[in-house]
């Protein structure tokens, strides 16, 4: 086989490869910094709402109060689904994973969107708001359909995070839950060129439509090395169930070379700046629901993994106990991540359309060359 001497080989996992430009978010993995459009994630987490954050990601600047109020109302007004999509939720078998249902439902939404095939900036702006609104409704409706509960309409007095909780559970969130849900969604809203965002950009780069790009992104997020980790974190915490057994449980997993879900990151070499906020909400919410032991187990796992491997928790770790304490079932955790990350996916899709070049890398061929052809009659097994 002839070898191209200039071929330095693939960069495994594209680690460190700069494959796009973005102003949406900046991750400094060495110093543990995260910026959205130049603003520090700690300021955003402590002082902003999810709708303000989405406006910032999409428009590149902070909204005024009037702009934010109008934006939030416009999105909440788009939270209803076409009846055919609700029917599709009813038709899915009860064992199918909510992420698989969401992937199909977002694809199906594209068939009913009047702007589906139009990728002009005006149509994309309308679709952006619609998709941001409809995805939480798909999740809430699926949950209620599967429990035989009546579906609920959004409350115009709530924003998207509170409406999501209300439409999922049927009870309005407490002040603490509202704030925690806002924080969870804005912390998950964007994270530069993660695997699902890259997927969305690749699809957009073919000039395919926004529903296609989001459908692909949801598929990428579903995997346990990406957004699918949060469900597995909760399953592990519930499986441990007793803080006294954490150290032995973690040691056993590491001895058998199992990965601890919710730990490790491709970019961060120090604590993920989002952890501090999620840890705080985990503690507050677990205490307020008499589930302090679950937060205690989580903190003990954090210590055990740090002591044994020097690895930090990632955003999926404490987002698990935060969601659990708000009554969201673990199999829905990754769908909540998808609902929140829709903001970032859309920001990147719009950036890709605005300065597009087909994303089409190349690969190193590892097969044979120039083999003599064998007619069917001469082939042996
Ligand atoms: N548990 C145990 N060991 C881990 C680990 C984890 N969660 N994450 C990384 N490591 C170890 C690897 O075993 C490897 O050790 P080695 O060099 O001794 O073999 C080293 O850390 C580097 O891991 P690698 O898989 O090369 O890092 P990556 O950048 O490719 O992977 C993740 C990043 C996120 C995929 C990885 O950390 C992981 O699988 N985490 C668990 C899943 C998860 O929480 N995903 C959500 C990400 S936000």
């Amino acid at each position: 086989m002839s070898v191209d001497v200039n071929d330095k080989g693939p960069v495994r996992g594209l680690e460190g490869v700069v494959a796009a430009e973005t102003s949406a978010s900046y991750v400094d993995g060495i110093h543990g910094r995260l910026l959205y459009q130049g603003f520090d994630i700690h300021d955003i987490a402590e002082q902003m709402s999810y709708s303000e954050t989405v406006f910032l990601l999409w428009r590149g600047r902070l909204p005024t109060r009037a702009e934010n109020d109008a934006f939030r109302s416009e999105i909440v007004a788009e939270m209803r689904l076409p009846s055919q999509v609700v029917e599709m939720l009813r038709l899915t078998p009860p064992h199918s994973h909510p992420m698989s249902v969401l992937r199909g439902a977002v694809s199906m939404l594209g068939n009913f969107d009047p702007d589906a095939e139009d990728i002009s900036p005006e149509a994309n702006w309308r679709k952006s708001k619609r998709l941001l609104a409809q995805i939480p409704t798909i999740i809430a409706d699926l949950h209620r359909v599967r429990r035989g509960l009546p579906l609920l309409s959004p409350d115009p007095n709530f924003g998207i995070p509170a409406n999501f909780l209300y439409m999922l559970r049927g009870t309005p969130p407490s002040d603490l839950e509202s704030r925690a849900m806002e924080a969870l969604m804005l912390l998950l809203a964007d994270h530069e060129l993660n695997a699902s965002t890259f997927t969305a950009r690749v699809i957009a780069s073919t000039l395919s439509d926004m529903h296609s790009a989001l459908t692909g992104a949801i598929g990428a997020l579903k995997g346990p090395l990406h957004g699918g980790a949060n469900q597995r974190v909760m399953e592990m915490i519930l499986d441990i169930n007793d803080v006294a057994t954490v150290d032995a449980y973690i040691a056993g997993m590491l001895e058998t070379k199992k990965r601890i879900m919710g730990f490790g990151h491709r970019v961060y070499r120090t604590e993920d700046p989002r952890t501090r906020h999620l840890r705080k909400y985990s503690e507050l919410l677990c205490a307020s629901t008499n589930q302090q032991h679950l937060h205690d187990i989580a903190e003990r796992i954090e210590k055990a993994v740090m002591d044994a491997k020097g690895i930090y928790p990632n955003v999926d770790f404490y987002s698990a106990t935060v969601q659990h304490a708000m009554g969201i079932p673990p199999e829905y955790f990754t769908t909540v991540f998808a609902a929140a990350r829709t903001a970032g996916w859309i920001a990147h899709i719009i950036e890709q359309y605005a300065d597009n070049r087909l994303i089409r890398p190349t690969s190193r061929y590892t097969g044979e060359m120039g083999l003599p052809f064998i007619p069917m009659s001469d082939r042996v097994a």
Side-chain angles (χ1 to χ4, degrees):
M1 175 180 138
S2 72
V3 174
D4 177 355
V5 289
N6 295 316
D7 174 8
K8 295 193 176 66
V11 177
R12 269 175 63 78
L14 298 184
E15 180 167 0
V17 172
V18 178
E21 290 193 331
T22 182
S23 67
S25 59
Y26 169 70
V27 179
D28 175 349
I30 302 298
H31 302 101
R33 279 183 86 203
L34 171 59
L35 310 178
Y36 289 172
Q37 299 283 9
F39 294 96
D40 195 281
I41 196 65
H42 297 306
D43 292 329
I44 293 171
E46 280 156 17
Q47 300 183 56
M48 279 173 57
S49 65
Y50 181 61
S51 61
E52 278 176 271
T53 307
V54 178
F55 188 102
L56 172 67
L57 287 170
W58 291 357
R59 303 293 290 265
R61 65 172 176 84
L62 297 169
T64 63
R65 187 182 300 279
E67 284 173 329
N68 181 52
D69 289 350
F71 184 63
R72 194 177 95 141
S73 302
E74 282 170 33
I75 293 172
V76 171
E78 295 276 14
M79 285 184 87
R80 69 201 168 282
L81 299 176
S83 59
Q84 296 91 334
V85 174
V86 177
E87 192 53 29
M88 178 224 162
L89 302 180
R90 293 190 196 283
L91 289 173
T92 58
H95 62 264
S96 63
H97 195 280
M99 275 298 274
S100 298
V101 180
L102 181 64
R103 186 192 58 218
V106 169
S107 181
M108 192 170 178
L109 274 179
N111 296 293
F112 297 95
D113 195 303
D115 292 311
E117 305 303 329
D118 183 352
I119 61 166
S120 66
E122 299 74 26
N124 281 337
W125 179 243
R126 290 191 293 273
K127 280 187 286 189
S128 301
K129 290 186 282 187
R130 223 173 272 142
L131 278 158
L132 194 88
Q134 289 169 325
I135 288 178
T137 308
I138 292 171
I139 304 163
D141 283 5
L142 177 68
H143 178 255
R144 292 182 77 79
V145 159
R146 288 194 166 176
R147 278 157 187 76
L149 298 167
L151 305 187
L152 297 172
S153 299
D155 183 330
N157 297 310
F158 296 152
I160 299 245
N163 256 314
F164 167 70
L165 270 185
Y166 164 63
M167 290 163 71
L168 180 100
R169 307 184 314 190
T171 48
S174 67
D175 287 348
L176 173 60
E177 287 174 330
S178 283
R179 188 60 212 140
M181 197 66 209
E182 293 274 348
L184 175 70
M185 291 190 74
L186 64 82
L187 289 166
L188 291 170
D190 196 35
H191 210 239
E192 55 118 271
L193 211 57
N194 59 87
S196 55
T197 301
F198 183 54
T199 306
R201 288 191 82 131
V202 170
I203 295 172
S205 86
T206 71
L207 299 185
S208 186
D209 61 283
M210 199 176 261
H211 288 83
S212 297
L214 288 192
T215 301
I218 291 168
L221 186 74
K222 180 170 182 270
L225 297 189
H226 193 6
N230 53 12
Q231 173 181 346
R232 289 157 179 89
V233 168
M234 200 64 229
E235 287 163 356
M236 172 175 70
I237 291 172
L238 293 172
D239 191 35
I240 293 176
N241 197 39
D242 178 359
V243 74
T245 62
V246 166
D247 292 1
Y249 189 101
I250 296 298
M253 285 189 78
L254 293 175
E255 262 165 37
T256 49
K257 303 269 176 239
K258 293 208 179 80
R259 288 199 171 214
I260 316 293
M261 290 291 124
F263 284 84
H265 200 272
R266 174 60 62 80
V267 182
Y268 289 117
R269 292 291 163 260
T270 183
E271 182 169 294
D272 178 331
R274 299 168 295 181
T275 303
R276 165 196 317 177
H277 304 281
L278 293 171
R279 194 193 284 112
K280 176 188 82 180
Y281 282 114
S282 165
E283 183 168 18
L284 292 172
L285 287 162
C286 285
S288 75
T289 52
N290 292 323
Q291 301 180 91
Q292 182 66 43
H293 68 291
L294 297 178
H295 180 77
D296 293 345
I297 291 171
E299 283 208 314
R300 188 74 204 181
I301 296 173
E302 183 181 353
K303 183 174 182 323
V305 178
M306 177 52 69
D307 289 350
K309 296 278 291 184
I311 300 177
Y312 293 87
N314 58 49
V315 74
D316 287 316
F317 189 64
Y318 285 105
S319 77
T321 36
V322 165
Q323 293 197 58
H324 179 83
M326 290 192 288
I328 302 169
E331 69 271 25
Y332 286 81
F333 286 4
T334 313
T335 62
V336 174
F337 192 159
R341 183 56 58 84
T342 298
W345 290 333
I346 288 173
H348 284 261
I349 292 166
I350 302 288
E351 282 186 334
Q352 189 64 40
Y353 286 143
D355 183 22
N356 187 54
R357 187 157 191 239
L358 176 72
I359 299 175
R360 199 293 188 196
T362 191
S363 55
R364 172 192 267 181
Y365 177 64
T366 59
E368 303 286 345
M369 304 270 263
L371 294 179
F373 182 72
I374 307 167
M376 179 79 86
S377 56
D378 296 348
R379 291 176 211 164
V380 285

